[in-house]
Amino acid sequence: MLIKTRKRHQIGENEVTSESVYHARRHFMAGVAGLGMAAVLPRSVWAASEYDNVEQGSRPDWFASRLDNTHWKAVTAGENDKLTPFNDATHYNNFFEFGTSKDDPYKHAGAMTTEPWTIEVDGEVGKPGTLDMNQLLGEQQLEERIYRLRCVEAWSMVIPWLGVPLSAILKRAEPTSDAKYVRFQTLMRPEEMPGQRSRFGLIDWPYQEGLRMDEAMHPLTLLSVGMYGRILPNQNGAPVRLVVPWKYGFKSIKSIVRISLVKEQPPTAWPTINANEYGFYSNVNPDVDHPRWSQARERRLPNSLFSPNMIDTQMFNGYGDEVASLYKGMDLRKYF
Amino acid sequence: MRLWRCSVFVAALLPFLWWAWQVAAGRAGPEPGQYLLLNFGQCALILLLLTLSLTPLMKLTRWKGFALIRRQLGLWTFTYGVLHLTSYLLFILGLDFSTLGEDLQRRPYIIVGFAALLMLLALAVTSNRYSMKRLGKRWKFLHRLVYIALGLVLLHFFWVVRADMAQWSGYALAGAVLMLLRIPAISRALGRIVPRRGGTRRASRAS
C-alpha cells in the first residue's frame, strides 16, 4: 500500500497565503492593536504573528483547541538570550533516526506519520494505558517556555517551546512508591526512519532516554508539543518530546511513544554506546569535559564565519538556582 | 595532456568555490564555520584516496595521464587539509590559542589530525624536483609517510563519528583496498591484467 505523506516543508495549497494578503493582514493587525482591540482577537492569531518567518504547520484538533487558552511567555530566558530564528531551529538538528548530518532531519523527517499518535504509559503506575494526544494532555493548559538548549557538541540555541509540565502527566498516571525512574522511548519505524535502517548504526533502536523521578517531577521539565506558536515540526520531535533545559540536548528525547515508570535506572542510548563519554545524568557542566568537546564554552547559534559567537557555558545551563538541590551531595564528576 | 592537467586543477578548485558561494549566499546553515570545517575535511580525505588510487590505476591501464596529476592531487589534498585546520582555528576556536593548546594535550582526535597534517606538510614541501634530487633514494622512503598519514586521517575521522559508521566504513574500505593493491605480489598481478602493447606479438612469435 502506498502511504502518501506530504513533506513538512511542502505546505498544502490551502495554507498558502499570498504576500499581499499577508502584508494586508499585518497592516490590519497593527491597526486593530492601535485601537486597543487586540484583546478581542483570538489568542491563536496573536501567537502566529508573534514570531517572524514561522511556517504554520498543520493544526490537529488536540492542538488548535488548546491554543486560545495558552499561557504565553510563562517562562522567559535571560536578557542576552536572543531567540534562535525558526528557520535555524528547524534546519539544524540532531535526530539520528533520520541521519547523522545536521540537515538530514529536515530532509527526511517529513516522511514520519504523526497523526494519529498514541503514547503508552506503563510500568509502576496505578493507571497504565494507551493515550492519544488529547487524552495525554487532558485538561492541562499549554504553557510557552523560552529555554536555552545546549547540545553536548558545544552549540546552543534559545527556543520558545509550547507544552505542559511532565509532572502533571505523571501524576495522572498515579505512580506507585516503586517508581524510581522514568524511561522514555522514541518511535521505532524503520520504513519511515532511514537512520534505523542503517547497518552501520551504533544506536540500539528504539532510542531510549531516562530521568530520575525527582528530575522528571521538577517543574522545569516540560513535555513539549509545539514551538514558535505552532506544533512541533517533525524534525524537532513531533508530536510530543521532552525538554529538560539543564541537561544536554540528547536527554530531551523526541517523538515519544512510550513512557514507563520503572524501579531501576534504565539503560539509555548514549551511555550504552560509550559510557566514558556520556553519563546517565548529562547535566550541562562547564567543569566536566566530554573527551571530544570542551564544555567550558559554547557557540550560540546562529553565528557567522568570523564571529563564532562564543559564550561561557553556565553550570546546569543557567538553571542552577532551580535544580542544583536535586544533586546535593553528589560527586558530579562521577555522576556526570 | 596540458588540458588534462588544467581540468584536474579546475575540478579540484570547484568544491572550494561552491562551498564559499554557499556561505556567501547564506545557504550554509546557522553555523557556516562548522559547514566549511566538515566539507573541507571530507574533501581532503577524498582527495587523499584519489591520489593514492593513481598508481594502481596507472598500473592497470598503462595510461600516463594518471601519473601526471599525482603531485597536483597530493598538493590539493594538503591544501584542503590546511583549509580544514584553518576553519577549525578561525571559525570554531575563534583564534583562541589557549583552547588549541588544551585540545592538543587532551583530545586524541585533534592530536592525530594534527600529526597527519604535519606529515602532509613534509610531503608538500618536498614535492619539487629540487628536493627529489637532494633526497635521492630517501625521497621515496619519506613519501611512504603518506600511508601513515592515511591511517591517521581515518583514525581522526573514526573518533569523530557519533552514531553511524556507514560513511566512515566506506572510506576505510577504500583505503584498505588501496593499501592491498600495494602489496608487491598484488601490485605485479595488477600490471599483468592488461597485456603490454607489443608483448602479445612477441609471445606469438615465440610459440
Side-chain angles (χ1 to χ4, degrees), chain A residues 23-315:
Chain A
H23 284 298
R25 180 78 192 155
R26 293 219 130 188
H27 187 75
F28 167 75
M29 294 281 294
V32 171
L35 289 169
M37 286 173 63
V40 181
L41 285 167
R43 297 299 293 269
S44 53
V45 176
W46 174 82
S49 64
E50 178 74 354
Y51 300 107
D52 292 331
N53 302 317
V54 172
E55 295 164 31
Q56 287 307 310
S58 67
R59 272 198 193 179
D61 282 346
W62 60 262
F63 184 78
S65 62
R66 284 175 172 81
L67 260 194
D68 287 345
N69 183 33
T70 293
H71 181 186
W72 297 98
K73 293 201 172 22
V75 176
T76 54
E79 258 175 53
N80 299 320
D81 293 320
K82 211 171 147 236
L83 222 57
T84 303
F86 176 77
N87 194 58
D88 292 335
T90 53
H91 288 65
Y92 195 80
N93 308 96
N94 280 330
F95 197 161
F96 285 80
E97 280 79 347
F98 295 108
T100 54
S101 290
K102 293 285 180 288
D103 55 352
D104 280 338
Y106 166 73
K107 282 188 202 152
H108 304 303
M112 176 171 61
T113 319
T114 57
E115 253 336 291
W117 191 271
T118 55
I119 295 114
E120 210 173 322
V121 179
D122 60 8
E124 307 296 330
V125 290
K127 280 165 116 184
T130 304
L131 311 173
D132 64 22
M133 289 303 292
N134 238 331
Q135 292 163 328
L136 180 80
L137 296 173
E139 299 291 303
Q140 211 61 39
Q141 182 193 30
L142 286 187
E143 287 179 40
E144 182 182 54
R145 298 184 178 190
I146 303 175
Y147 281 159
R148 291 177 285 278
L149 174 78
R150 171 64 154 79
C151 178
V152 70
E153 296 164 345
W155 53 267
S156 63
M157 294 185 179
V158 180
I159 295 177
W161 303 107
L162 280 170
V164 300
L166 176 66
S167 60
I169 308 291
L170 294 184
K171 271 181 209 154
R172 258 195 286 130
E174 295 172 6
T176 70
S177 57
D178 278 339
K180 300 280 190 273
Y181 292 88
V182 189
R183 186 182 69 207
F184 303 89
Q185 223 171 67
T186 298
L187 180 69
M188 172 81 176
R189 202 177 282 161
E191 63 275 22
E192 292 181 1
M193 299 176 138
Q196 291 179 340
R197 293 199 297 267
S198 169
R199 283 195 230 160
F200 294 88
L202 302 178
I203 295 176
D204 188 14
W205 309 112
Y207 191 93
Q208 297 205 41
E209 258 310 332
L211 295 174
R212 209 170 58 191
M213 199 61 189
D214 56 346
E215 298 177 319
M217 298 301 286
H218 193 279
L220 281 179
T221 306
L222 193 72
L223 205 58
S224 173
V225 295
M227 61 196 264
Y228 297 83
R230 51 155 287 167
I231 59 160
L232 289 173
N234 283 10
Q235 64 269 33
N236 294 81
V240 59
R241 67 171 290 170
L242 191 66
V243 181
V244 194
W246 70 94
K247 292 175 179 283
Y248 293 119
F250 64 82
K251 292 295 286 185
S252 294
I253 186 171
K254 291 168 165 170
S255 303
I256 300 169
V257 293
R258 190 169 174 204
I259 302 176
S260 313
L261 284 90
V262 294
K263 286 180 198 167
E264 311 278 336
Q265 181 178 306
T268 56
W270 292 102
T272 304
I273 299 176
N274 193 340
N276 294 324
E277 296 196 345
Y278 309 96
F280 174 78
Y281 289 95
S282 294
N283 293 317
V284 175
N285 187 342
D287 302 327
V288 177
D289 268 359
H290 182 281
R292 286 183 268 173
W293 307 285
S294 164
Q295 299 299 353
R297 309 184 75 200
E298 66 198 51
R299 306 184 299 279
R300 176 60 55 83
L301 303 188
N303 63 20
S304 63
L305 273 194
F306 292 99
S307 156
N309 215 8
M310 299 278 275
I311 55 175
D312 287 338
T313 289
Q314 303 174 66
M315 187 67 201

Side-chain angles (χ1 to χ4, degrees), chain B residues 4 27 34 36 40 43 82 100 136 140 145 147 153 199 201:
Chain B
W4 162 241
R27 283 199 291 261
Q34 189 83 11
L36 290 181
F40 288 155
C43 186
V82 168
L100 176 68
K140 209 167 185 183
L145 271 184
Y147 305 140
V153 168
R201 209 184 304 156

Side-chain angles (χ1 to χ4, degrees), chain B residues 98-159:
Chain B
S98 62
T99 312
L100 176 68
E102 259 173 49
D103 279 352
L104 280 175
Q105 283 170 36
R106 277 198 233 163
R107 299 186 211 297
Y109 80 104
I110 303 245
I111 300 168
V112 161
F114 207 78
L117 198 57
L118 285 180
M119 286 178 193
L120 294 181
L121 171 71
L123 304 191
V125 296
T126 59
S127 65
N128 48 64
R129 288 237 170 84
Y130 173 77
S131 304
M132 285 181 96
K133 262 187 212 154
R134 258 317 279 273
L135 290 166
K137 273 190 178 169
R138 281 171 298 163
W139 189 88
K140 209 167 185 183
F141 187 74
L142 177 74
H143 277 245
R144 288 209 174 120
L145 271 184
V146 72
Y147 305 140
I148 300 177
L150 173 67
L152 293 181
V153 168
L154 285 172
L155 187 60
H156 172 72
F157 191 176
F158 177 80
W159 270 328

